[in-house]
Structures are given as C-alpha cells and as structure tokens.
Amino acid sequence: MSSRVMIHLLQNNKTMTTRILTRQIQTTTTKRPPSSSYQQQNRHFSNFSFIDESSTKKQKTASNKTALILGSSGILGKTIVQHLSHDLQMTIIGADVIDPVKKKDIDALDAFIPLQHTSNATELTKSLSLGMRNINDGKEKVVMVDAIICASGGWEGDPTSSYLPGRLLEEDGITPEMAAEEWGKVLDKMLQMNLHPVLAAGNVASTHMANQGLFVAFGATAALMPTPGMAAYGAAKAATHQYIQTLGAMTGLGIGHNKIRKDAKKFRRGKPYLDDMTAVAILPTMLDTPTNRKFATRKDDFNAWTKPIDIAEEIGKWVVEPYLRPSSGSLIKVYPPRFQPGDDDRDGEWSKSTFGQVR
C-alpha cells in the first residue's frame, strides 16, 4: 500500500480549491485471473436466486480493494459505504451533491468528491472525472477502483398538469406553457438524479476501473413495466436498465447472441478494463428508508420492505468473490422479505431480501 492523502474537492461555480486530510489509500490493481476459468464460474449464475446462506457467516475482507460510490450521502449509499469500509475494510471514495456531516460517515470515507446539485450530464461527467484526477495528483500510480457503485437516485411523480386537458388547465389559471415548463423540470430532475450519475460513472470506469472490476447501478422493478403517473421516473430507470445491458454486452463476460458478442469484441480493442468487468443493475421494489416511509399507507408493513443492508451485503459478496457475480449485463430483481411462520401463529420471523435475475 502506498501513502497518499485524502482530497476533498470544494467546487464554487467554475473555481476549484482543494483541502487535504491525512489518510491512506490503495493504489495497486487486482491481478486478473485466467479468463476461461472466470467465465466458467460466472455461468453458474444464469438462473440463480441470490440468497443469503447465513446471516451470521462473516464475509471475507477486501482490504486491498477500492470502491467509488456515487450517492454516498444517501441512506442506501451510506449503508453500502459503512459495510464495505468497516465490515470488508475496503478503501472508499465517495461522491455526492451533499457533503457527509456525521463523524461516522466522514470516517468511513478515504476521499470525497462533491458534485453540483443542478449540473447537467456534461458538467457532472467532467466534475467526477476531475475529482478522480485530483485524487491521483502527485501519485506515481493512478488510483484504480475495483468497484463503482451508483447508489444515487430519487423519485418524483409526474406533475398533475401534464395529464389535464387544456380546459381544466385554463380553469386553474395554468397556461400550456406553464404546464410544459413544470413537466420539463420533473423530467430534468429525474434524469439528473437517476440516469446522469450512471453515465458519468461509466466514463470514469474507462480510465479508473481495475481488472476484474464490478460496476453496479440501481434501476427499479417498476420500470420493467409501464409507469402511469411517473413516466419521467420510469423513463430514467428504464434508460439505466438499457445502459447496463449495453455496457454488460460490451464486456468479455457479457451474454447475448453471436452478432452482439462479435461486435462487442471489436469495441473492446484498446479497452482492457472491459475484458473481465461485470456490469449489473439492481432493481429494488421498495427500500425501507425514512423518505419512503413518508409515503407509506396504514396497510404497509415495513418488515416487508427491503433493508438497505441486505443490498449492501449482496454487493459485498460480489466484490469479495467475483465468481458469485451474475452475468455481466444482468438485471437483478430484489425480492422483498417474507414472513416465515413458526410452530404457532405468534412465532416466526422475517427473512432477508433475496435476489434473482430477470433479464
């Protein structure tokens, strides 16, 4: 392990300053295993449901690995950060529009890249790339990451005005132009929160992904079907699914018919990180977060919602044991916990969430 410093980039309009804190970060890359054996191990997951074999079984550590986590200040992102940092002893680079505040969250990060809240895809991609370059500043070796996890995201329903006929809009004093602007704002917001970070992270992978890398994005089970009332959200998540399937098809571990694999092989020339990288989209149904609980009804049982730690632990397994990963380009649905009754009606316990490939 080589010595380096933690760099916190503070962005103010078009200026960039740097604050330095003393830390250690891994700059070595992971050795690549023979591709034939790795592909053989990967086929094990073509029709497999990912189940936690034992909640008490301690995962192996990955102290020689580094992960970049976008959305590191959100509930899901913080849970992933804590698990990979404390439980697996990984080096963590966070990135988010919100700076970490609590000491626990700050201590779990080895570096943090702040991102602009209203940036478009171009600005976000440049900012993330610049952040990674500044982390590498002055180092003999480029800081390579073994995993890139895009945990950023958010939900907002379509504006009511986008579905109202012109007569009703006029009765409420809303002009067609006002309704169009409202719809455009929601669409921009959903793309900025759910799609742009994934695309920006894909660009970072081209320069900073180590051998046998893992790229994880979050889609949505709802976006596998039409999403009335939340078309903007559904479109952003469906685009995320498509990007992961395309990125996965371009890797050496991708699945698909011969024409796609042949074209992908040509594309991979000069891009060795794609040879053994795995790209996966995780599709939750309902995460148990404070924000989601605000929208809960009286009938909702939070025990039946997926806990963020279940997802964090599954990702941790994929990082530590690459042969456990799904096929590259897979869409992995998260099945919520189920109640397992005991000997009498009052006994029993809730299972953990399970994971299964849907595409």
Side-chain angles (χ1 to χ4, degrees):
M1 177 177 291
S2 60
S3 177
R4 68 169 300 281
V5 293
M6 173 179 177
I7 299 178
H8 186 147
L9 306 174
L10 301 176
Q11 190 162 5
N12 182 12
N13 295 328
K14 294 184 179 180
T15 63
M16 186 81 69
T17 58
T18 303
R19 178 161 58 87
I20 301 177
L21 305 175
T22 303
R23 291 299 292 267
Q24 296 277 328
I25 198 165
Q26 182 74 25
T27 58
T28 58
T29 58
T30 306
K31 291 184 179 180
R32 181 182 302 172
S35 57
S36 59
S37 62
Y38 180 56
Q39 288 176 345
Q40 183 177 5
Q41 291 169 336
N42 189 267
R43 294 192 191 101
H44 171 67
F45 272 97
S46 58
N47 289 308
F48 191 84
S49 177
F50 309 93
I51 300 175
D52 187 11
E53 296 177 358
S54 173
S55 59
T56 60
K57 185 176 180 180
K58 184 177 177 61
Q59 286 188 338
K60 295 181 180 179
T61 60
S63 57
N64 65 329
K65 295 182 181 294
T66 300
L68 168 64
I69 302 178
L70 281 74
S72 58
S73 296
I75 295 298
L76 177 60
K78 286 192 291 187
T79 304
I80 297 172
V81 167
Q82 293 293 331
H83 178 63
L84 299 187
S85 176
H86 292 300
D87 298 336
L88 302 188
Q89 302 175 19
M90 292 179 62
T91 297
I92 305 297
I93 302 171
D96 207 312
V97 296
I98 301 174
D99 287 7
V101 176
K102 295 182 179 180
K103 185 178 185 301
K104 176 183 178 182
D105 299 328
I106 295 174
D107 290 345
L109 296 173
D110 296 274
F112 180 77
I113 304 172
L115 305 171
Q116 289 185 337
H117 186 70
T118 58
S119 62
N120 56 35
T122 301
E123 293 171 346
L124 177 62
T125 303
K126 289 174 60 179
S127 179
L128 190 60
S129 178
L130 179 60
M132 291 299 296
R133 190 180 72 181
N134 276 276
I135 290 175
N136 290 312
D137 189 31
K139 305 300 172 295
E140 294 182 0
K141 292 184 179 180
V142 173
V143 175
M144 305 297 285
V145 296
D146 302 277
I148 296 178
I149 302 164
C150 305
S152 56
W155 179 89
E156 184 170 332
D158 299 336
T160 306
S161 60
S162 63
Y163 296 101
L164 294 177
R167 178 178 56 80
L168 294 179
L169 287 174
E170 293 176 358
E171 290 178 358
D172 291 336
I174 302 175
T175 66
E177 291 75 19
M178 292 169 62
E181 182 180 5
E182 189 178 5
W183 161 249
K185 288 181 178 179
V186 173
L187 180 57
D188 281 341
K189 183 177 181 180
M190 291 297 93
L191 293 175
Q192 289 171 1
M193 297 179 73
N194 297 295
L195 179 61
H196 292 173
V198 178
L199 301 178
N203 176 73
V204 168
S206 67
T207 54
H208 293 277
M209 184 68 85
N211 297 333
Q212 202 173 317
L214 174 67
F215 189 98
V216 178
F218 282 85
T221 298
L224 293 172
M225 301 169 286
T227 54
M230 50 181 188
Y233 172 82
K237 288 298 188 181
T240 298
H241 298 173
Q242 200 279 340
Y243 177 74
I244 289 298
Q245 289 178 303
T246 299
L247 182 61
M250 292 189 297
T251 68
L253 304 177
I255 55 177
H257 56 71
N258 292 336
K259 176 70 166 57
I260 293 178
R261 295 180 62 83
K262 185 176 181 180
D263 292 343
K265 188 175 182 179
K266 294 178 181 178
F267 182 85
R268 285 198 304 276
R269 292 174 182 171
K271 302 179 179 65
Y273 76 99
L274 288 174
D275 289 342
D276 53 10
M277 187 183 82
T278 302
V280 179
I282 296 177
L283 283 56
T285 301
M286 181 61 75
L287 286 176
D288 188 8
T289 66
T291 300
N292 286 342
R293 287 196 178 199
K294 292 179 181 179
F295 298 96
T297 65
R298 293 181 179 180
K299 295 181 179 180
D300 288 322
D301 187 342
F302 299 143
N303 290 312
W305 290 10
T306 295
K307 305 299 183 271
I309 187 59
D310 291 353
I311 293 177
E313 290 178 349
E314 192 67 33
I315 292 174
K317 295 176 184 178
W318 298 346
V319 173
V320 176
E321 303 285 6
Y323 67 88
L324 292 178
R325 298 173 185 176
S327 299
S328 189
S330 297
L331 304 184
I332 304 301
K333 181 178 178 180
V334 183
Y335 294 91
R338 292 184 178 182
F339 183 75
Q340 300 173 334
D343 295 335
D344 60 60
D345 294 339
R346 290 176 296 178
D347 293 333
E349 60 182 10
W350 287 87
S351 67
K352 299 183 67 126
S353 294
T354 56
F355 299 75
Q357 181 174 326
V358 292
R359 288 183 189 172

